[in-house]
Amino acid sequence: MRNKADNNQDSRLRELFKASRFDAPPSPWFTKKVMNRLPRKRARNLAWAEYALYGVAGIITAALGISYTVDIFREGIVRIGDIAVIATYMCAFCAIVFLCLSPWFRSEEELPMK
């Protein structure tokens, strides 16, 4: 069974922890030391296949989108559904290009240490 003195000490201790709480200053050396101790990143052996698939997907998406757009203009009638399909082709093409180019535009914090 607890008495009031123990409860009072607990609350005082809790207040001391809250009062002395502070954030440590940022240390860029800490991150570099930790990253240097990690094992080396393995070489990406299948990167060429990944980029080849991006290229094929981009070419196919662009070709289908252009073909669809040309057919719409030949027909002479543009419907709301046609605009939605063209927008879908454009979004898919932009997503493929983003996936292909994003590894080259990563910030320094995201890059692994060498």
Side-chain angles (χ1 to χ4, degrees):
M1 188 163 125
R2 297 178 117 183
N3 58 22
K4 277 193 165 190
D6 287 339
N7 192 16
N8 192 18
Q9 287 178 351
D10 288 343
S11 62
R12 282 183 49 208
L13 188 58
R14 188 177 307 116
E15 291 301 320
L16 280 172
F17 279 132
K18 286 182 182 179
S20 65
R21 188 177 187 184
F22 64 93
D23 292 330
S27 172
W29 292 106
F30 174 77
T31 304
K32 289 180 182 178
K33 286 179 184 176
V34 171
M35 294 303 288
N36 284 334
R37 290 183 182 143
L38 292 175
R40 295 262 180 216
K41 187 177 178 183
R42 291 185 293 167
R44 294 177 50 183
N45 295 332
L46 295 177
W48 63 271
E50 178 183 357
Y51 288 110
L53 286 175
Y54 286 146
V56 169
I59 291 170
I60 290 172
T61 304
L64 289 174
I66 290 170
S67 171
Y68 190 81
T69 305
V70 168
D71 287 344
I72 288 172
F73 282 118
R74 279 191 195 145
E75 188 178 312
I77 300 171
V78 180
R79 297 176 195 90
I80 295 175
D82 296 334
I83 294 171
V85 170
I86 291 171
T88 304
Y89 277 123
M90 289 175 60
C91 289
F93 182 75
C94 290
I96 292 167
V97 169
F98 174 77
L99 287 173
C100 185
L101 298 179
S102 63
W104 283 288
F105 296 106
R106 295 193 307 186
S107 66
E108 282 296 318
E109 292 89 29
E110 296 175 8
L111 292 175
M113 298 298 294
K114 292 185 179 183

